[in-house]
Amino acid sequence: MDKDDQARVRLAKNDLPAAGAQDAEAQADVAEAAAAEPAEGVDAEPAEGAGASALRPADGEGPGDAFVSGAAYAALGVLGGVFGVFGSFAQDWTLGAVPLVALVLVALVFAMAWASGKAMGGRLGALIPALVWGVVVFILQMRRPEGDLVVPATLPGYVFVIGGMVAAVIGIMLVPPARPPGEWMLGKAGRSRG
């Protein structure tokens, strides 16, 4: 195939008639330039706001969005830590022989993990408060050199710690992942499959 044939093929793909052999390539170049789309990952429209002229990524995330997301994840970590401290001190309240408060706290751990994951749109949002909760509870169940501990080895303590861990894992796993499964391994090839 020579240069003119390639130009005619490009014109045919763009639904333009081929005029002559000499200007077929020029027409094909003009047609390609007109049909060219903006660069991948960038919108052609400027960002909102007065005088904004910078191009934004197509996924809508800029530096401000990353800061807000980081602050939200940090707030979820603080929530998990506060809930771990509160739960560790409150888990030992019982109603007779039934560790009612520990069971309620286990349900709240599940709700915290599941709701934060749904709110953040992925499992990372569920993982962060659950992980911080687990670390705080683990630290508070260890015996100090003075002999003190917050979460004793009693039925309510076991229900709170073990039940809370199971509830947190279930809450995390019930949140749908933000990306399709296996995309981390396939990279761009996983995104292009249809």
Side-chain angles (χ1 to χ4, degrees), residues 165-181:
M165 287 183 201
V166 170
V169 169
I170 292 171
I172 292 168
M173 296 311 293
L174 286 179
V175 175
R179 300 184 305 176

Side-chain angles (χ1 to χ4, degrees), residues 49-129:
S53 63
L55 295 177
R56 252 179 23 169
D59 60 358
E61 285 200 29
D65 295 332
F67 178 76
V68 170
S69 293
Y73 285 123
L76 288 175
V78 169
L79 172 72
V82 167
F83 190 72
V85 170
F86 172 76
S88 294
F89 282 101
Q91 53 78 33
D92 207 19
W93 300 341
T94 60
L95 183 64
V98 178
L100 186 62
V101 174
L103 292 171
V104 170
L105 290 170
V106 167
L108 289 175
V109 168
F110 167 78
M112 174 188 65
W114 180 78
S116 60
K118 289 295 254 184
M120 293 301 289
R123 288 185 178 159
L124 183 62
L127 177 69
I128 289 181

Side-chain angles (χ1 to χ4, degrees), residues 1-22:
M1 238 180 162
D2 66 351
K3 225 170 150 183
D4 290 332
D5 291 335
Q6 290 175 353
R8 283 189 196 97
V9 168
R10 287 190 299 190
L11 285 172
K13 285 183 179 178
N14 292 328
D15 294 330
L16 297 174
Q22 280 76 23

Side-chain angles (χ1 to χ4, degrees), residues 3 11 18 29 48 50 67 69 111 133 139 144 154 173 175-176 186 189 191-192 194:
K3 225 170 150 183
L11 285 172
D29 291 338
E48 294 90 19
F67 178 76
S69 293
W133 173 87
I139 290 171
R144 300 193 30 93
T154 60
M173 296 311 293
V175 175
L186 298 175
R191 283 180 244 140
S192 64

Side-chain angles (χ1 to χ4, degrees), residues 140-152:
L140 290 176
Q141 75 176 358
M142 294 188 324
R143 187 172 301 276
R144 300 193 30 93
E146 300 87 30
D148 298 337
L149 72 151
V150 178
V151 182

